[in-house]
Amino acid sequence: AQTVTQSQPEMSVQEAETVTLSCTYDTSESNYYLFWYKQPPSRQMILVIRQEAYKQQNATENRFSVNFQKAAKSFSLKISDSQLGDTAMYFCAFMKQASGSRLTFGEGTQLTVNP
Amino acid sequence: GAGVSQSPRYKVAKRGQDVALRCDPISGHVSLFWYQQALGQGPEFLTYFQNEAQLDKSGLPSDRFFAERPEGSVSTLKIQRTQQEDSAVYLCASSLGIRGGGNSPLHFGNGTRLTVT
């Protein structure tokens, strides 16, 4: 079974600054995906960024980037130039690379961007 | 439709009542998942459909929980004899393909918040 751990229940950052959210996971799988999802008060899970485990290059999506350390089973999210709209709950998630695979989520980190 | 639609958005049930939660996935999406999200927690997997076939129901917490997708599109999650511990947000997600991850991302609905009093 896979486990995902987010050790920071809450984080805050000033607008325009950079913040890093931590995530570690445990798995015996060799092929898998890792994701960061954002959940605003509307409750809809919004995909922020994804990483294929076989790719050594860290994924980036505009202001969002990850630091993927496969050996250490670490997958942190860096948000640059934080904006007020980034305020939300952020979840790290794991998925095996197989048909019909489920997502395994961490406990979440509540990020607040202050003006 | 433009996205995954769930109804109702909120549901209050008295303990012991039966409830039915509906999910309209994106048209043509083969895979459909249900997740349960307790307050302050990450979502947890309940069940998975590939078209009309329920291929994985290992996450359903008890036999009071039942899900169906009879025509391979709309899905209903039914909870019988609701208990207070069933209070949670129930999220539905769909994807075009059967292999999750990068090539077939999941699209989530806004969820149904169930409160059992």
Side-chain angles (χ1 to χ4, degrees), chain A residues 33 39 42-45 50 91 95 99-100 102-103 105, chain B residues 9 35 37 42-43 56 58 98 100-102 108 110-111:
Chain A
Y33 297 97
Q39 189 179 41
S42 68
R43 300 199 301 257
Q44 186 180 26
M45 283 286 186
R50 65 173 183 257
F91 291 96
M95 178 188 283
S99 172
R102 67 186 69 176
L103 283 165
F105 288 89
Chain B
R9 187 152 172 78
Y35 288 85
Q37 186 176 18
D56 188 351
S58 62
I98 62 173
F108 281 84
N110 287 338

mmCIF file with all atom_site columns, all heavy atoms in Angstrom, chain A residues 33 39 42-45 50 91 95 99-100 102-103 105, chain B residues 9 35 37 42-43 56 58 98 100-102 108 110-111:
data_model
loop_
_atom_site.group_PDB
_atom_site.id
_atom_site.type_symbol
_atom_site.label_atom_id
_atom_site.label_alt_id
_atom_site.label_comp_id
_atom_site.label_asym_id
_atom_site.label_entity_id
_atom_site.label_seq_id
_atom_site.pdbx_PDB_ins_code
_atom_site.Cartn_x
_atom_site.Cartn_y
_atom_site.Cartn_z
_atom_site.occupancy
_atom_site.B_iso_or_equiv
_atom_site.pdbx_formal_charge
_atom_site.auth_seq_id
_atom_site.auth_comp_id
_atom_site.auth_asym_id
_atom_site.auth_atom_id
_atom_site.pdbx_PDB_model_num
ATOM 1   N N   . TYR A 1 33  ? 2.849   8.097  -10.779 1.00 0.00 ? 33  TYR A N   1
ATOM 2   C CA  . TYR A 1 33  ? 2.728   9.537  -10.972 1.00 0.00 ? 33  TYR A CA  1
ATOM 3   C C   . TYR A 1 33  ? 2.561   10.198 -9.605  1.00 0.00 ? 33  TYR A C   1
ATOM 4   O O   . TYR A 1 33  ? 2.007   9.611  -8.677  1.00 0.00 ? 33  TYR A O   1
ATOM 5   C CB  . TYR A 1 33  ? 1.489   9.874  -11.807 1.00 0.00 ? 33  TYR A CB  1
ATOM 6   C CG  . TYR A 1 33  ? 1.499   9.334  -13.219 1.00 0.00 ? 33  TYR A CG  1
ATOM 7   C CD1 . TYR A 1 33  ? 0.854   8.141  -13.523 1.00 0.00 ? 33  TYR A CD1 1
ATOM 8   C CD2 . TYR A 1 33  ? 2.126   10.023 -14.246 1.00 0.00 ? 33  TYR A CD2 1
ATOM 9   C CE1 . TYR A 1 33  ? 0.837   7.650  -14.819 1.00 0.00 ? 33  TYR A CE1 1
ATOM 10  C CE2 . TYR A 1 33  ? 2.110   9.536  -15.549 1.00 0.00 ? 33  TYR A CE2 1
ATOM 11  C CZ  . TYR A 1 33  ? 1.476   8.357  -15.825 1.00 0.00 ? 33  TYR A CZ  1
ATOM 12  O OH  . TYR A 1 33  ? 1.457   7.869  -17.113 1.00 0.00 ? 33  TYR A OH  1
ATOM 13  N N   . GLN A 1 39  ? -7.403  22.768 -3.646  1.00 0.00 ? 39  GLN A N   1
ATOM 14  C CA  . GLN A 1 39  ? -8.828  22.713 -3.348  1.00 0.00 ? 39  GLN A CA  1
ATOM 15  C C   . GLN A 1 39  ? -9.267  24.008 -2.677  1.00 0.00 ? 39  GLN A C   1
ATOM 16  O O   . GLN A 1 39  ? -9.062  24.200 -1.483  1.00 0.00 ? 39  GLN A O   1
ATOM 17  C CB  . GLN A 1 39  ? -9.167  21.505 -2.460  1.00 0.00 ? 39  GLN A CB  1
ATOM 18  C CG  . GLN A 1 39  ? -10.670 21.286 -2.295  1.00 0.00 ? 39  GLN A CG  1
ATOM 19  C CD  . GLN A 1 39  ? -10.996 20.076 -1.445  1.00 0.00 ? 39  GLN A CD  1
ATOM 20  O OE1 . GLN A 1 39  ? -10.355 19.826 -0.422  1.00 0.00 ? 39  GLN A OE1 1
ATOM 21  N NE2 . GLN A 1 39  ? -12.014 19.312 -1.860  1.00 0.00 ? 39  GLN A NE2 1
ATOM 22  N N   . SER A 1 42  ? -14.593 26.225 -2.923  1.00 0.00 ? 42  SER A N   1
ATOM 23  C CA  . SER A 1 42  ? -15.612 25.635 -3.807  1.00 0.00 ? 42  SER A CA  1
ATOM 24  C C   . SER A 1 42  ? -15.588 24.111 -3.770  1.00 0.00 ? 42  SER A C   1
ATOM 25  O O   . SER A 1 42  ? -16.508 23.457 -4.247  1.00 0.00 ? 42  SER A O   1
ATOM 26  C CB  . SER A 1 42  ? -15.402 26.096 -5.250  1.00 0.00 ? 42  SER A CB  1
ATOM 27  O OG  . SER A 1 42  ? -14.203 25.540 -5.779  1.00 0.00 ? 42  SER A OG  1
ATOM 28  N N   . ARG A 1 43  ? -14.541 23.540 -3.206  1.00 0.00 ? 43  ARG A N   1
ATOM 29  C CA  . ARG A 1 43  ? -14.358 22.088 -2.996  1.00 0.00 ? 43  ARG A CA  1
ATOM 30  C C   . ARG A 1 43  ? -13.847 21.336 -4.230  1.00 0.00 ? 43  ARG A C   1
ATOM 31  O O   . ARG A 1 43  ? -13.489 20.177 -4.132  1.00 0.00 ? 43  ARG A O   1
ATOM 32  C CB  . ARG A 1 43  ? -15.643 21.396 -2.503  1.00 0.00 ? 43  ARG A CB  1
ATOM 33  C CG  . ARG A 1 43  ? -16.193 21.887 -1.204  1.00 0.00 ? 43  ARG A CG  1
ATOM 34  C CD  . ARG A 1 43  ? -17.138 20.872 -0.597  1.00 0.00 ? 43  ARG A CD  1
ATOM 35  N NE  . ARG A 1 43  ? -18.251 20.557 -1.466  1.00 0.00 ? 43  ARG A NE  1
ATOM 36  C CZ  . ARG A 1 43  ? -19.485 21.036 -1.299  1.00 0.00 ? 43  ARG A CZ  1
ATOM 37  N NH1 . ARG A 1 43  ? -19.722 21.882 -0.319  1.00 0.00 ? 43  ARG A NH1 1
ATOM 38  N NH2 . ARG A 1 43  ? -20.455 20.696 -2.120  1.00 0.00 ? 43  ARG A NH2 1
ATOM 39  N N   . GLN A 1 44  ? -13.850 21.991 -5.379  1.00 0.00 ? 44  GLN A N   1
ATOM 40  C CA  . GLN A 1 44  ? -13.384 21.273 -6.565  1.00 0.00 ? 44  GLN A CA  1
ATOM 41  C C   . GLN A 1 44  ? -11.876 21.080 -6.522  1.00 0.00 ? 44  GLN A C   1
ATOM 42  O O   . GLN A 1 44  ? -11.128 22.017 -6.291  1.00 0.00 ? 44  GLN A O   1
ATOM 43  C CB  . GLN A 1 44  ? -13.768 22.029 -7.832  1.00 0.00 ? 44  GLN A CB  1
ATOM 44  C CG  . GLN A 1 44  ? -13.430 21.258 -9.101  1.00 0.00 ? 44  GLN A CG  1
ATOM 45  C CD  . GLN A 1 44  ? -13.824 22.010 -10.348 1.00 0.00 ? 44  GLN A CD  1
ATOM 46  O OE1 . GLN A 1 44  ? -13.893 23.229 -10.348 1.00 0.00 ? 44  GLN A OE1 1
ATOM 47  N NE2 . GLN A 1 44  ? -14.086 21.279 -11.425 1.00 0.00 ? 44  GLN A NE2 1
ATOM 48  N N   . MET A 1 45  ? -11.425 19.863 -6.761  1.00 0.00 ? 45  MET A N   1
ATOM 49  C CA  . MET A 1 45  ? -10.005 19.559 -6.826  1.00 0.00 ? 45  MET A CA  1
ATOM 50  C C   . MET A 1 45  ? -9.473  20.024 -8.182  1.00 0.00 ? 45  MET A C   1
ATOM 51  O O   . MET A 1 45  ? -9.958  19.589 -9.224  1.00 0.00 ? 45  MET A O   1
ATOM 52  C CB  . MET A 1 45  ? -9.775  18.055 -6.699  1.00 0.00 ? 45  MET A CB  1
ATOM 53  C CG  . MET A 1 45  ? -9.902  17.524 -5.309  1.00 0.00 ? 45  MET A CG  1
ATOM 54  S SD  . MET A 1 45  ? -8.468  17.990 -4.340  1.00 0.00 ? 45  MET A SD  1
ATOM 55  C CE  . MET A 1 45  ? -8.818  17.081 -2.840  1.00 0.00 ? 45  MET A CE  1
ATOM 56  N N   . ARG A 1 50  ? 1.849   17.786 -12.288 1.00 0.00 ? 50  ARG A N   1
ATOM 57  C CA  . ARG A 1 50  ? 2.051   16.346 -12.181 1.00 0.00 ? 50  ARG A CA  1
ATOM 58  C C   . ARG A 1 50  ? 3.476   16.003 -12.579 1.00 0.00 ? 50  ARG A C   1
ATOM 59  O O   . ARG A 1 50  ? 4.136   16.728 -13.315 1.00 0.00 ? 50  ARG A O   1
ATOM 60  C CB  . ARG A 1 50  ? 1.063   15.591 -13.057 1.00 0.00 ? 50  ARG A CB  1
ATOM 61  C CG  . ARG A 1 50  ? 1.249   15.826 -14.538 1.00 0.00 ? 50  ARG A CG  1
ATOM 62  C CD  . ARG A 1 50  ? 0.366   14.916 -15.369 1.00 0.00 ? 50  ARG A CD  1
ATOM 63  N NE  . ARG A 1 50  ? 0.620   15.136 -16.782 1.00 0.00 ? 50  ARG A NE  1
ATOM 64  C CZ  . ARG A 1 50  ? -0.170  15.825 -17.588 1.00 0.00 ? 50  ARG A CZ  1
ATOM 65  N NH1 . ARG A 1 50  ? -1.285  16.350 -17.111 1.00 0.00 ? 50  ARG A NH1 1
ATOM 66  N NH2 . ARG A 1 50  ? 0.112   15.968 -18.859 1.00 0.00 ? 50  ARG A NH2 1
ATOM 67  N N   . PHE A 1 91  ? -3.135  19.485 -1.776  1.00 0.00 ? 91  PHE A N   1
ATOM 68  C CA  . PHE A 1 91  ? -2.972  18.071 -1.509  1.00 0.00 ? 91  PHE A CA  1
ATOM 69  C C   . PHE A 1 91  ? -1.936  17.473 -2.442  1.00 0.00 ? 91  PHE A C   1
ATOM 70  O O   . PHE A 1 91  ? -1.971  17.686 -3.660  1.00 0.00 ? 91  PHE A O   1
ATOM 71  C CB  . PHE A 1 91  ? -4.291  17.310 -1.712  1.00 0.00 ? 91  PHE A CB  1
ATOM 72  C CG  . PHE A 1 91  ? -5.342  17.623 -0.692  1.00 0.00 ? 91  PHE A CG  1
ATOM 73  C CD1 . PHE A 1 91  ? -6.315  18.579 -0.946  1.00 0.00 ? 91  PHE A CD1 1
ATOM 74  C CD2 . PHE A 1 91  ? -5.355  16.970 0.535   1.00 0.00 ? 91  PHE A CD2 1
ATOM 75  C CE1 . PHE A 1 91  ? -7.288  18.863 0.002   1.00 0.00 ? 91  PHE A CE1 1
ATOM 76  C CE2 . PHE A 1 91  ? -6.320  17.248 1.484   1.00 0.00 ? 91  PHE A CE2 1
ATOM 77  C CZ  . PHE A 1 91  ? -7.283  18.201 1.222   1.00 0.00 ? 91  PHE A CZ  1
ATOM 78  N N   . MET A 1 95  ? -0.300  8.096  -7.605  1.00 0.00 ? 95  MET A N   1
ATOM 79  C CA  . MET A 1 95  ? -1.084  7.161  -8.413  1.00 0.00 ? 95  MET A CA  1
ATOM 80  C C   . MET A 1 95  ? -0.161  6.159  -9.086  1.00 0.00 ? 95  MET A C   1
ATOM 81  O O   . MET A 1 95  ? 0.810   6.554  -9.730  1.00 0.00 ? 95  MET A O   1
ATOM 82  C CB  . MET A 1 95  ? -1.894  7.904  -9.469  1.00 0.00 ? 95  MET A CB  1
ATOM 83  C CG  . MET A 1 95  ? -2.692  6.984  -10.379 1.00 0.00 ? 95  MET A CG  1
ATOM 84  S SD  . MET A 1 95  ? -3.454  7.848  -11.764 1.00 0.00 ? 95  MET A SD  1
ATOM 85  C CE  . MET A 1 95  ? -4.829  8.633  -10.956 1.00 0.00 ? 95  MET A CE  1
ATOM 86  N N   . SER A 1 99  ? -4.029  0.552  -15.031 1.00 0.00 ? 99  SER A N   1
ATOM 87  C CA  . SER A 1 99  ? -5.415  0.801  -15.388 1.00 0.00 ? 99  SER A CA  1
ATOM 88  C C   . SER A 1 99  ? -6.279  1.007  -14.158 1.00 0.00 ? 99  SER A C   1
ATOM 89  O O   . SER A 1 99  ? -6.201  0.248  -13.198 1.00 0.00 ? 99  SER A O   1
ATOM 90  C CB  . SER A 1 99  ? -5.932  -0.400 -16.192 1.00 0.00 ? 99  SER A CB  1
ATOM 91  O OG  . SER A 1 99  ? -7.315  -0.289 -16.403 1.00 0.00 ? 99  SER A OG  1
ATOM 92  N N   . GLY A 1 100 ? -7.079  2.065  -14.199 1.00 0.00 ? 100 GLY A N   1
ATOM 93  C CA  . GLY A 1 100 ? -8.030  2.301  -13.124 1.00 0.00 ? 100 GLY A CA  1
ATOM 94  C C   . GLY A 1 100 ? -7.422  2.615  -11.778 1.00 0.00 ? 100 GLY A C   1
ATOM 95  O O   . GLY A 1 100 ? -8.056  2.423  -10.742 1.00 0.00 ? 100 GLY A O   1
ATOM 96  N N   . ARG A 1 102 ? -6.288  4.324  -8.460  1.00 0.00 ? 102 ARG A N   1
ATOM 97  C CA  . ARG A 1 102 ? -6.838  5.353  -7.594  1.00 0.00 ? 102 ARG A CA  1
ATOM 98  C C   . ARG A 1 102 ? -5.751  6.334  -7.200  1.00 0.00 ? 102 ARG A C   1
ATOM 99  O O   . ARG A 1 102 ? -4.565  6.037  -7.245  1.00 0.00 ? 102 ARG A O   1
ATOM 100 C CB  . ARG A 1 102 ? -7.392  4.709  -6.327  1.00 0.00 ? 102 ARG A CB  1
ATOM 101 C CG  . ARG A 1 102 ? -6.276  4.105  -5.454  1.00 0.00 ? 102 ARG A CG  1
ATOM 102 C CD  . ARG A 1 102 ? -6.786  3.354  -4.279  1.00 0.00 ? 102 ARG A CD  1
ATOM 103 N NE  . ARG A 1 102 ? -7.456  2.117  -4.642  1.00 0.00 ? 102 ARG A NE  1
ATOM 104 C CZ  . ARG A 1 102 ? -7.925  1.250  -3.770  1.00 0.00 ? 102 ARG A CZ  1
ATOM 105 N NH1 . ARG A 1 102 ? -7.821  1.507  -2.477  1.00 0.00 ? 102 ARG A NH1 1
ATOM 106 N NH2 . ARG A 1 102 ? -8.526  0.144  -4.167  1.00 0.00 ? 102 ARG A NH2 1
ATOM 107 N N   . LEU A 1 103 ? -6.176  7.521  -6.772  1.00 0.00 ? 103 LEU A N   1
ATOM 108 C CA  . LEU A 1 103 ? -5.285  8.493  -6.160  1.00 0.00 ? 103 LEU A CA  1
ATOM 109 C C   . LEU A 1 103 ? -5.227  8.239  -4.659  1.00 0.00 ? 103 LEU A C   1
ATOM 110 O O   . LEU A 1 103 ? -6.258  8.007  -4.032  1.00 0.00 ? 103 LEU A O   1
ATOM 111 C CB  . LEU A 1 103 ? -5.790  9.914  -6.401  1.00 0.00 ? 103 LEU A CB  1
ATOM 112 C CG  . LEU A 1 103 ? -5.558  10.516 -7.790  1.00 0.00 ? 103 LEU A CG  1
ATOM 113 C CD1 . LEU A 1 103 ? -6.429  11.744 -7.979  1.00 0.00 ? 103 LEU A CD1 1
ATOM 114 C CD2 . LEU A 1 103 ? -4.091  10.864 -7.987  1.00 0.00 ? 103 LEU A CD2 1
ATOM 115 N N   . PHE A 1 105 ? -4.160  10.329 -1.412  1.00 0.00 ? 105 PHE A N   1
ATOM 116 C CA  . PHE A 1 105 ? -3.902  11.723 -1.044  1.00 0.00 ? 105 PHE A CA  1
ATOM 117 C C   . PHE A 1 105 ? -3.205  11.824 0.304   1.00 0.00 ? 105 PHE A C   1
ATOM 118 O O   . PHE A 1 105 ? -3.385  10.971 1.182   1.00 0.00 ? 105 PHE A O   1
ATOM 119 C CB  . PHE A 1 105 ? -5.223  12.499 -0.943  1.00 0.00 ? 105 PHE A CB  1
ATOM 120 C CG  . PHE A 1 105 ? -5.881  12.782 -2.260  1.00 0.00 ? 105 PHE A CG  1
ATOM 121 C CD1 . PHE A 1 105 ? -6.782  11.882 -2.812  1.00 0.00 ? 105 PHE A CD1 1
ATOM 122 C CD2 . PHE A 1 105 ? -5.630  13.964 -2.942  1.00 0.00 ? 105 PHE A CD2 1
ATOM 123 C CE1 . PHE A 1 105 ? -7.410  12.141 -4.025  1.00 0.00 ? 105 PHE A CE1 1
ATOM 124 C CE2 . PHE A 1 105 ? -6.257  14.240 -4.149  1.00 0.00 ? 105 PHE A CE2 1
ATOM 125 C CZ  . PHE A 1 105 ? -7.147  13.320 -4.691  1.00 0.00 ? 105 PHE A CZ  1
ATOM 126 N N   . ARG B 2 9   ? -25.747 19.661 -4.019  1.00 0.00 ? 9   ARG B N   1
ATOM 127 C CA  . ARG B 2 9   ? -24.503 20.244 -3.505  1.00 0.00 ? 9   ARG B CA  1
ATOM 128 C C   . ARG B 2 9   ? -24.405 20.050 -1.990  1.00 0.00 ? 9   ARG B C   1
ATOM 129 O O   . ARG B 2 9   ? -23.313 19.832 -1.468  1.00 0.00 ? 9   ARG B O   1
ATOM 130 C CB  . ARG B 2 9   ? -24.427 21.719 -3.870  1.00 0.00 ? 9   ARG B CB  1
ATOM 131 C CG  . ARG B 2 9   ? -23.110 22.360 -3.535  1.00 0.00 ? 9   ARG B CG  1
ATOM 132 C CD  . ARG B 2 9   ? -22.811 23.514 -4.473  1.00 0.00 ? 9   ARG B CD  1
ATOM 133 N NE  . ARG B 2 9   ? -21.639 24.254 -4.055  1.00 0.00 ? 9   ARG B NE  1
ATOM 134 C CZ  . ARG B 2 9   ? -20.385 23.851 -4.245  1.00 0.00 ? 9   ARG B CZ  1
ATOM 135 N NH1 . ARG B 2 9   ? -20.144 22.693 -4.842  1.00 0.00 ? 9   ARG B NH1 1
ATOM 136 N NH2 . ARG B 2 9   ? -19.363 24.582 -3.833  1.00 0.00 ? 9   ARG B NH2 1
ATOM 137 N N   . TYR B 2 35  ? -14.857 9.415  -4.234  1.00 0.00 ? 35  TYR B N   1
ATOM 138 C CA  . TYR B 2 35  ? -13.988 9.602  -3.079  1.00 0.00 ? 35  TYR B CA  1
ATOM 139 C C   . TYR B 2 35  ? -14.810 10.186 -1.928  1.00 0.00 ? 35  TYR B C   1
ATOM 140 O O   . TYR B 2 35  ? -15.761 10.933 -2.146  1.00 0.00 ? 35  TYR B O   1
ATOM 141 C CB  . TYR B 2 35  ? -12.835 10.567 -3.394  1.00 0.00 ? 35  TYR B CB  1
ATOM 142 C CG  . TYR B 2 35  ? -11.776 10.002 -4.318  1.00 0.00 ? 35  TYR B CG  1
ATOM 143 C CD1 . TYR B 2 35  ? -11.941 10.055 -5.687  1.00 0.00 ? 35  TYR B CD1 1
ATOM 144 C CD2 . TYR B 2 35  ? -10.623 9.419  -3.802  1.00 0.00 ? 35  TYR B CD2 1
ATOM 145 C CE1 . TYR B 2 35  ? -10.972 9.534  -6.542  1.00 0.00 ? 35  TYR B CE1 1
ATOM 146 C CE2 . TYR B 2 35  ? -9.659  8.895  -4.643  1.00 0.00 ? 35  TYR B CE2 1
ATOM 147 C CZ  . TYR B 2 35  ? -9.839  8.945  -6.013  1.00 0.00 ? 35  TYR B CZ  1
ATOM 148 O OH  . TYR B 2 35  ? -8.886  8.428  -6.851  1.00 0.00 ? 35  TYR B OH  1
ATOM 149 N N   . GLN B 2 37  ? -14.357 12.548 1.506   1.00 0.00 ? 37  GLN B N   1
ATOM 150 C CA  . GLN B 2 37  ? -13.431 13.472 2.156   1.00 0.00 ? 37  GLN B CA  1
ATOM 151 C C   . GLN B 2 37  ? -14.017 13.943 3.474   1.00 0.00 ? 37  GLN B C   1
ATOM 152 O O   . GLN B 2 37  ? -14.934 14.769 3.502   1.00 0.00 ? 37  GLN B O   1
ATOM 153 C CB  . GLN B 2 37  ? -13.130 14.671 1.249   1.00 0.00 ? 37  GLN B CB  1
ATOM 154 C CG  . GLN B 2 37  ? -12.062 15.595 1.812   1.00 0.00 ? 37  GLN B CG  1
ATOM 155 C CD  . GLN B 2 37  ? -11.705 16.723 0.862   1.00 0.00 ? 37  GLN B CD  1
ATOM 156 O OE1 . GLN B 2 37  ? -12.446 17.044 -0.069  1.00 0.00 ? 37  GLN B OE1 1
ATOM 157 N NE2 . GLN B 2 37  ? -10.554 17.331 1.082   1.00 0.00 ? 37  GLN B NE2 1
ATOM 158 N N   . GLY B 2 42  ? -7.669  14.512 3.630   1.00 0.00 ? 42  GLY B N   1
ATOM 159 C CA  . GLY B 2 42  ? -7.602  14.296 2.194   1.00 0.00 ? 42  GLY B CA  1
ATOM 160 C C   . GLY B 2 42  ? -8.659  13.304 1.755   1.00 0.00 ? 42  GLY B C   1
ATOM 161 O O   . GLY B 2 42  ? -9.137  12.499 2.553   1.00 0.00 ? 42  GLY B O   1
ATOM 162 N N   . PRO B 2 43  ? -9.049  13.368 0.481   1.00 0.00 ? 43  PRO B N   1
ATOM 163 C CA  . PRO B 2 43  ? -10.045 12.413 -0.013  1.00 0.00 ? 43  PRO B CA  1
ATOM 164 C C   . PRO B 2 43  ? -9.536  10.978 0.069   1.00 0.00 ? 43  PRO B C   1
ATOM 165 O O   . PRO B 2 43  ? -8.344  10.727 -0.096  1.00 0.00 ? 43  PRO B O   1
ATOM 166 C CB  . PRO B 2 43  ? -10.237 12.824 -1.466  1.00 0.00 ? 43  PRO B CB  1
ATOM 167 C CG  . PRO B 2 43  ? -9.758  14.241 -1.536  1.00 0.00 ? 43  PRO B CG  1
ATOM 168 C CD  . PRO B 2 43  ? -8.665  14.347 -0.531  1.00 0.00 ? 43  PRO B CD  1
ATOM 169 N N   . ASP B 2 56  ? -13.661 -1.904 -8.981  1.00 0.00 ? 56  ASP B N   1
ATOM 170 C CA  . ASP B 2 56  ? -13.003 -1.850 -7.672  1.00 0.00 ? 56  ASP B CA  1
ATOM 171 C C   . ASP B 2 56  ? -13.951 -1.182 -6.698  1.00 0.00 ? 56  ASP B C   1
ATOM 172 O O   . ASP B 2 56  ? -14.315 -0.024 -6.894  1.00 0.00 ? 56  ASP B O   1
ATOM 173 C CB  . ASP B 2 56  ? -11.678 -1.079 -7.784  1.00 0.00 ? 56  ASP B CB  1
ATOM 174 C CG  . ASP B 2 56  ? -10.852 -1.142 -6.511  1.00 0.00 ? 56  ASP B CG  1
ATOM 175 O OD1 . ASP B 2 56  ? -11.351 -1.639 -5.478  1.00 0.00 ? 56  ASP B OD1 1
ATOM 176 O OD2 . ASP B 2 56  ? -9.696  -0.675 -6.542  1.00 0.00 ? 56  ASP B OD2 1
ATOM 177 N N   . SER B 2 58  ? -13.288 -1.716 -3.270  1.00 0.00 ? 58  SER B N   1
ATOM 178 C CA  . SER B 2 58  ? -12.583 -2.048 -2.037  1.00 0.00 ? 58  SER B CA  1
ATOM 179 C C   . SER B 2 58  ? -12.586 -0.926 -1.015  1.00 0.00 ? 58  SER B C   1
ATOM 180 O O   . SER B 2 58  ? -12.336 -1.161 0.161   1.00 0.00 ? 58  SER B O   1
ATOM 181 C CB  . SER B 2 58  ? -11.136 -2.450 -2.351  1.00 0.00 ? 58  SER B CB  1
ATOM 182 O OG  . SER B 2 58  ? -10.442 -1.371 -2.952  1.00 0.00 ? 58  SER B OG  1
ATOM 183 N N   . ILE B 2 98  ? -8.508  4.800  -19.354 1.00 0.00 ? 98  ILE B N   1
ATOM 184 C CA  . ILE B 2 98  ? -8.505  3.874  -18.235 1.00 0.00 ? 98  ILE B CA  1
ATOM 185 C C   . ILE B 2 98  ? -7.171  3.859  -17.503 1.00 0.00 ? 98  ILE B C   1
ATOM 186 O O   . ILE B 2 98  ? -7.076  3.319  -16.410 1.00 0.00 ? 98  ILE B O   1
ATOM 187 C CB  . ILE B 2 98  ? -8.839  2.434  -18.685 1.00 0.00 ? 98  ILE B CB  1
ATOM 188 C CG1 . ILE B 2 98  ? -7.782  1.915  -19.668 1.00 0.00 ? 98  ILE B CG1 1
ATOM 189 C CG2 . ILE B 2 98  ? -10.224 2.386  -19.284 1.00 0.00 ? 98  ILE B CG2 1
ATOM 190 C CD1 . ILE B 2 98  ? -7.970  0.449  -20.021 1.00 0.00 ? 98  ILE B CD1 1
ATOM 191 N N   . GLY B 2 100 ? -4.727  5.998  -15.621 1.00 0.00 ? 100 GLY B N   1
ATOM 192 C CA  . GLY B 2 100 ? -4.684  7.312  -14.991 1.00 0.00 ? 100 GLY B CA  1
ATOM 193 C C   . GLY B 2 100 ? -3.339  7.969  -15.114 1.00 0.00 ? 100 GLY B C   1
ATOM 194 O O   . GLY B 2 100 ? -2.371  7.390  -15.570 1.00 0.00 ? 100 GLY B O   1
ATOM 195 N N   . GLY B 2 101 ? -3.263  9.192  -14.695 1.00 0.00 ? 101 GLY B N   1
ATOM 196 C CA  . GLY B 2 101 ? -1.988  9.882  -14.681 1.00 0.00 ? 101 GLY B CA  1
ATOM 197 C C   . GLY B 2 101 ? -1.875  10.917 -15.771 1.00 0.00 ? 101 GLY B C   1
ATOM 198 O O   . GLY B 2 101 ? -2.806  11.640 -16.058 1.00 0.00 ? 101 GLY B O   1
ATOM 199 N N   . GLY B 2 102 ? -0.735  10.993 -16.378 1.00 0.00 ? 102 GLY B N   1
ATOM 200 C CA  . GLY B 2 102 ? -0.450  12.108 -17.261 1.00 0.00 ? 102 GLY B CA  1
ATOM 201 C C   . GLY B 2 102 ? -1.287  12.162 -18.517 1.00 0.00 ? 102 GLY B C   1
ATOM 202 O O   . GLY B 2 102 ? -1.652  13.245 -18.963 1.00 0.00 ? 102 GLY B O   1
ATOM 203 N N   . PHE B 2 108 ? -12.483 16.570 -11.482 1.00 0.00 ? 108 PHE B N   1
ATOM 204 C CA  . PHE B 2 108 ? -13.308 16.425 -10.294 1.00 0.00 ? 108 PHE B CA  1
ATOM 205 C C   . PHE B 2 108 ? -14.541 17.328 -10.360 1.00 0.00 ? 108 PHE B C   1
ATOM 206 O O   . PHE B 2 108 ? -14.502 18.420 -10.935 1.00 0.00 ? 108 PHE B O   1
ATOM 207 C CB  . PHE B 2 108 ? -12.514 16.810 -9.040  1.00 0.00 ? 108 PHE B CB  1
ATOM 208 C CG  . PHE B 2 108 ? -11.573 15.747 -8.565  1.00 0.00 ? 108 PHE B CG  1
ATOM 209 C CD1 . PHE B 2 108 ? -10.312 15.619 -9.123  1.00 0.00 ? 108 PHE B CD1 1
ATOM 210 C CD2 . PHE B 2 108 ? -11.945 14.867 -7.552  1.00 0.00 ? 108 PHE B CD2 1
ATOM 211 C CE1 . PHE B 2 108 ? -9.434  14.637 -8.679  1.00 0.00 ? 108 PHE B CE1 1
ATOM 212 C CE2 . PHE B 2 108 ? -11.077 13.888 -7.103  1.00 0.00 ? 108 PHE B CE2 1
ATOM 213 C CZ  . PHE B 2 108 ? -9.819  13.771 -7.670  1.00 0.00 ? 108 PHE B CZ  1
ATOM 214 N N   . ASN B 2 110 ? -17.617 19.312 -7.887  1.00 0.00 ? 110 ASN B N   1
ATOM 215 C CA  . ASN B 2 110 ? -17.569 20.154 -6.684  1.00 0.00 ? 110 ASN B CA  1
ATOM 216 C C   . ASN B 2 110 ? -18.001 19.413 -5.427  1.00 0.00 ? 110 ASN B C   1
ATOM 217 O O   . ASN B 2 110 ? -17.969 19.973 -4.344  1.00 0.00 ? 110 ASN B O   1
ATOM 218 C CB  . ASN B 2 110 ? -18.449 21.388 -6.859  1.00 0.00 ? 110 ASN B CB  1
ATOM 219 C CG  . ASN B 2 110 ? -17.835 22.384 -7.817  1.00 0.00 ? 110 ASN B CG  1
ATOM 220 O OD1 . ASN B 2 110 ? -16.637 22.389 -8.039  1.00 0.00 ? 110 ASN B OD1 1
ATOM 221 N ND2 . ASN B 2 110 ? -18.665 23.214 -8.411  1.00 0.00 ? 110 ASN B ND2 1
ATOM 222 N N   . GLY B 2 111 ? -18.412 18.174 -5.582  1.00 0.00 ? 111 GLY B N   1
ATOM 223 C CA  . GLY B 2 111 ? -18.739 17.375 -4.418  1.00 0.00 ? 111 GLY B CA  1
ATOM 224 C C   . GLY B 2 111 ? -20.117 17.635 -3.844  1.00 0.00 ? 111 GLY B C   1
ATOM 225 O O   . GLY B 2 111 ? -20.765 18.640 -4.124  1.00 0.00 ? 111 GLY B O   1
#
